[in-house]
């Protein structure tokens, strides 16, 4: 076979040189991405360049850099539509690469690193602690519209702190659960990580982490008496499962009694939460408390945290250097300027006990969306720029809206993978005809209407539990099938595949609170009470001696009266 160069020399001047070059290079076995780049370089001399024509060598360098750094996406050919769809990660809720959020991530990492440096530096050597103490506190709040990516940023911070073996508490508020209960559950989940029921031998943990946890237990037991222990076990059932471990840590009955804080049940809970926070911060290990969707918290929770930081927390403990990072998100359009949350944030600022950082999470720029679509479709930005302009106009730069819009035009076959062309194809004129909703919720609703009926029925049922629920709850409802006449577990697996839910161990969670909200609101208001009652009655029948299932049943029935 003659070389490509010789065959190119035989091409008529009047013919399409780039098209011929592409054909010859493909025949020689070169990847389509290489052929495309060569053709675009040849077309750069045309008097009538196309949208894909290279206009600078920087664009060619961008192509080559991506081929080198991410060959699976930008270099190798694609021939399987399913694999191409999976590679977009649009239906994978765990794909949380943050496009256009580099500045916000940099700010979050800077705050995290300042805490780490303080805790790990020798005593009295740090100059960045508040008022010269051995304690450094930081609070960072992310504000933006629903779907702007605040929760993704927060989860990225949680992952980074967890990888560095911080103590991490996660609270995600929603409309259907009492905020103080959610905060109590965050502590319960934390203690559950260390319990034998988790099946974790902790052999993968640094011994210093285990020692820090034991120190937390020692501090707790040196502060409470038997009555306080009983109240703490009510707050965190998982803590009671750790008692065999804790009892070996020289628990003392003569400690100050939690009954000193006797008052309302809420006051006792606030007292215990302060005690737990102080114990966590006493070990010399940095602590992160992540609050998601603070617009659904209340003055009791925000007041509890603010009061702890400003008035109740006294640095000390066995180690000397302590660090606490409070990170929270809230919807800026759902929080009043003079409301309780903003008031508590200003209280922290003026106290000078803790550094406060405010980050506005705005809409994505057109260039950000161009990079996102380029990465999802595995095409150079010059090929996706026109589509990016259209998507930006349709979605107003809302990241969740962008993702859902791309999924919608895929469902409607406006964005398809062409086996023949080995790339994604679309027609911007056709895409422009896609009806645009007034908001993300409306687009989500129209997408949900395309789902199978059993799946939608299951999603409506589980939305009654809030943003997340446990597999054991579904198993309990499947007994007797009093709620739905089929196995809901099978439908939940399909929901995970569709990207509506994500699953971590025994926990299911909606991939975004807007998705949960949209599904719950699909249940007619007149039918919600009946659905909650049916769920509660079913769980009561299945509860037997399971206290957790029994409490869930009571919560569902009590929802009727709210």
């Amino acid at each position: 076979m003659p070389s490509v160069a010789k065959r190119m020399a035989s091409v008529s001047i009047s013919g399409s040189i780039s098209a011929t070059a592409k054909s010859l290079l493909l025949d020689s076995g070169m990847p389509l991405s290489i052929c495309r780049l060569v053709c675009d370089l040849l077309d750069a001399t045309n008097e009538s360049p196309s949208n894909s024509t290279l206009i600078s060598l920087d664009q060619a360098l961008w192509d080559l850099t991506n081929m080198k750094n991410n060959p699976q996406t930008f270099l190798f050919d694609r021939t399987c539509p399913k694999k191409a769809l999976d590679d977009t990660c649009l239906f994978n809720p765990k794909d949380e690469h943050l496009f256009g959020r580099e500045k916000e991530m940099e700010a979050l990492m800077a705050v995290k690193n300042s805490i780490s440096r303080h805790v790990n530096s020798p005593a009295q050597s740090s100059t960045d602690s508040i008022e010269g103490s051995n304690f450094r506190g930081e609070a960072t709040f992310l504000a933006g519209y629903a779907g702007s990516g605040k929760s993704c940023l927060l989860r990225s911070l949680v992952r980074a702190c967890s990888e560095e073996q911080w103590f991490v508490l996660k609270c995600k508020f929603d409309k259907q659960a009492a905020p103080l209960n959610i905060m109590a559950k965050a502590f319960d989940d934390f203690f559950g990580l260390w319990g034998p029921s988790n099946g974790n031998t902790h052999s993968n943990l640094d011994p210093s982490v285990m020692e820090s946890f034991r120190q937390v237990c020692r501090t707790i037991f040196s502060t409470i008496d038997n009555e306080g222990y009983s109240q703490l076990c009510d707050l965190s059932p998982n803590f009671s499962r750790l008692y065999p471990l804790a009892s070996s840590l020289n628990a003392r009955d003569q400690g100050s009694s939690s009954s000193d804080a006797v008052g309302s049940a809420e006051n006792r809970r606030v007292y215990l939460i302060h005690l737990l926070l102080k114990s966590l911060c006493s070990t010399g290990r940095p602590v992160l408390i992540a609050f998601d969707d603070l617009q659904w918290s209340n003055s009791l929770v925000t007041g509890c945290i603010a009061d702890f930081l400003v008035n109740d927390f006294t640095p000390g403990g066995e180690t000397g250097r302590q660090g606490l990072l409070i990170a929270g998100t809230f919807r800026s359009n759902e929080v009043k300027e003079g409301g309780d949350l903003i008031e508590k944030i200003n209280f922290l600022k003026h106290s000078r006990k803790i550094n406060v950082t405010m980050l506005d999470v705005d809409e994505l720029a057109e260039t950000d969306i161009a990079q996102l679509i380029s990465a999802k479709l595995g095409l150079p930005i010059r090929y996706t720029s026109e589509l990016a302009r259209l998507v930006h106009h349709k979605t107003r730069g809302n990241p969740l809206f962008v993702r859902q819009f791309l999924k919608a035009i895929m469902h409607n076959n406006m964005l398809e993978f062409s086996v023949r062309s080995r790339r994604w194809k679309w027609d911007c004129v056709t895409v422009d005809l896609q009806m645009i909703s007034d908001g993300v919720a409306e687009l989500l609703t129209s997408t949900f209407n395309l789902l199978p009926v059993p799946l939608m029925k299951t999603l409506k049922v589980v939305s009654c539990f809030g943003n997340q629920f446990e597999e054991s709850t579904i198993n309990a409802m499947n007994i007797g099938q009093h709620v739905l006449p089929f196995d809901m577990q099978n439908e939940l697996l399909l929901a995970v595949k569709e990207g509506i839910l994500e699953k971590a161990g025994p926990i299911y969670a909606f991939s975004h609170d807007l998705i949960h909200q949209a599904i719950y609101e699909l249940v007619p208001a007149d039918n919600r009470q009946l659905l909650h009652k049916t769920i509660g009655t079913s769980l009561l029948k299945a509860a037997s001696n399971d206290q957790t299932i029994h409490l869930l049943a009571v919560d569902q029935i009590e929802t009727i009266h709210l």
Side-chain angles (χ1 to χ4, degrees), residues 467-479:
N467 188 264
Q468 69 179 36
F469 52 94
E470 295 196 15
E471 196 170 27
S472 58
T473 305
I474 306 305
N475 291 334
M477 285 193 294
N478 275 335
I479 298 174

Side-chain angles (χ1 to χ4, degrees), residues 225-297:
D225 59 9
N226 288 337
E227 182 184 357
Y229 171 75
S230 177
Q231 294 174 355
L232 184 55
C233 290
D234 289 338
L235 182 81
S236 171
N238 279 323
F239 185 80
S240 65
R241 298 186 181 98
L242 290 172
Y243 182 70
L245 168 65
S247 63
S248 66
L249 301 179
N250 300 320
R252 301 187 311 181
D253 281 346
Q254 64 268 30
S256 60
S257 171
S258 60
S259 58
D260 295 341
V262 168
S264 69
E266 287 182 345
N267 286 340
R268 289 195 295 272
R269 282 192 161 197
V270 168
Y271 172 85
L272 290 170
I273 287 172
H274 279 200
L275 183 153
L276 293 173
L277 286 171
K278 189 179 297 187
S279 300
L280 283 175
C281 293
S282 69
T283 69
R285 185 165 299 280
V287 177
L288 168 68
I289 307 179
F291 294 108
D292 202 4
D293 288 320
L294 276 166
Q295 74 276 358
W296 290 325
S297 66

